[in-house]
DNA sequence: GTAGTTGCAAATTGTTTGCAAGCCT
DNA sequence: AGGCTTGCAAACAATTTGCAACTAC
């Protein structure tokens, strides 16, 4: 699991998961609705295990999480993120009023803070022009040791 | 495996792997020397499988690669990189005359080009100051479709 | 000599698939 | 009703560990 510090873009208005699914040509089942709501409410990318842990209460199997996330990624509604700790995570694509952002991760307690600014965008267009690449996208993660974990007997410390 | 375009920083002078190991308090065994030389010569991060493939000829087992890379990462001599395709890769940390760089990856043919400039560095110190993080490092990858792959019958195209 | 390191193989963990039963439209 | 979706369990793949033999110092 992942500790989260809510960024400015945490939003109180959940999307209507059922409508969203139908709009995208997907059947609205109990488990899928739970998964979509979870992704929509999370300000950080989640692993399949994270998602399963939260929706198993609804009787939603791991295989369902796996297959449904695969479908969402094929349709490019969800994006796969290679996390610095080697896990593969998944986040819903930017919706209205959300722009994409990056993450600051504590190497000790694994806390994740979203970073709103994106310094890379201008650089990206420059590279596109100089090297002739099309459809550029990027992935940026910063990691370091957070203030709490810099104190000797930090209580937040976790396993590698 | 990974296709590589050599960047300006490809270097002909290999480091003395044995000396480097001893300087860092590590025993210089046959397998370790081969692994260090390989990492030192590569201009892109490698997976454990990539490394094993190259050093198995020296009779070096996968478990040795796994454990030795873990040791190097604990000592922060090697850095782990979450690659865009979900694989975990490893690269030796910047040495004299090498500054760290980032990568531009073609989503079609998987070609990797190093990028020398780093736009993130100034931003990094700003974040360190604002949020009190120590020992910041970052990982940035750009991906897109290279000029060759934008042509209809691109011969360089590869499997996803 | 001795502590650290290795190869081998097994254990563990994570990912993916097949299939009969169930649910959405 | 009918096809898409699910849960379960098994298959497959990747990562990690135990241990006796070996090697560097």
């Amino acid at each position: 699991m992942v500790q989260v510090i809510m960024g400015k873009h945490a939003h109180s208005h959940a999307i209507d998961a059922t409508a969203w699914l139908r709009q995208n040509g997907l059947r609205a089942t109990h488990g899928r609705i739970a998964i979509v709501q979870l992704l929509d409410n999370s300000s950080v990318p989640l692993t399949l295990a994270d998602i399963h842990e939260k929706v198993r209460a609804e009787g939603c199997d791991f295989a369902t999480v796996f297959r449904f996330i695969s479908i969402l990624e094929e349709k490019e509604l969800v994006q796969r993120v290679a996390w610095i700790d080697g896990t593969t995570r998944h986040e819903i694509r930017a919706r209205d009023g959300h722009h994409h952002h990056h993450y600051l991760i504590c190497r000790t307690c694994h806390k994740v803070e979203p970073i709103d600014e994106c310094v890379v965008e201008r650089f990206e267009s420059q590279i596109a022009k100089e090297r002739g690449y099309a459809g550029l996208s990027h992935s940026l993660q910063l990691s370091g040791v957070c203030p709490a974990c810099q104190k000797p007997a930090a209580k937040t410390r976790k396993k590698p």
Side-chain angles (χ1 to χ4, degrees), chain A:
Chain A
M1 262 304 297
V2 165
Q3 258 187 75
V4 178
I5 301 230
M6 281 298 168
K8 295 174 204 141
H9 290 282
H11 60 309
S12 38
H13 298 68
I15 62 172
D16 179 342
T18 303
W20 186 87
L21 284 163
R22 299 233 174 97
Q23 278 158 29
N24 289 294
L26 295 164
R27 286 200 179 173
T29 68
H30 205 215
R32 288 176 171 201
I33 292 167
I35 293 171
V36 170
Q37 286 173 343
L38 180 59
L39 288 172
D40 184 53
N41 282 324
S42 176
S43 64
V44 299
L46 302 173
T47 63
L48 294 181
D50 288 339
I51 298 168
H52 180 223
E53 188 181 319
K54 293 292 183 54
V55 297
R56 72 190 318 164
E58 327 268 338
C60 181
D61 192 69
F62 186 88
T64 297
V65 175
F66 172 82
R67 285 181 288 214
F68 182 51
I69 296 292
S70 301
I71 289 169
L72 293 176
E73 279 169 358
E74 271 168 33
K75 290 185 169 275
E76 310 206 311
L77 296 167
V78 159
Q79 175 154 26
R80 176 182 284 239
V81 183
W83 209 245
I84 200 77
D85 63 3
T87 58
T88 299
R89 293 172 178 271
H90 312 268
E91 67 183 346
I92 201 160
R93 287 251 172 147
R95 293 135 292 168
D96 311 337
H98 279 247
H99 60 71
H100 97 140
H101 55 228
H102 297 297
Y103 304 100
L104 178 58
I105 304 155
C106 175
R107 277 197 294 272
T108 303
C109 69
H110 298 170
K111 180 176 64 190
V112 179
E113 304 185 40
I115 297 173
D116 291 328
E117 307 99 302
C118 179
V119 275
V120 183
E121 259 143 30
R122 191 184 318 173
F123 180 60
E124 196 174 87
S125 1
Q126 180 192 324
I127 288 283
K129 195 186 301 174
E130 284 176 12
R131 310 212 191 193
Y133 272 62
L136 276 186
S137 68
H138 63 272
S139 157
L140 169 66
Q141 292 162 53
L142 303 184
S143 68
V145 182
C146 73
C149 291
Q150 289 171 45
K151 295 172 193 157
K155 297 185 186 67
T156 46
R157 197 153 299 183
K158 284 190 189 172
K159 286 270 125 54

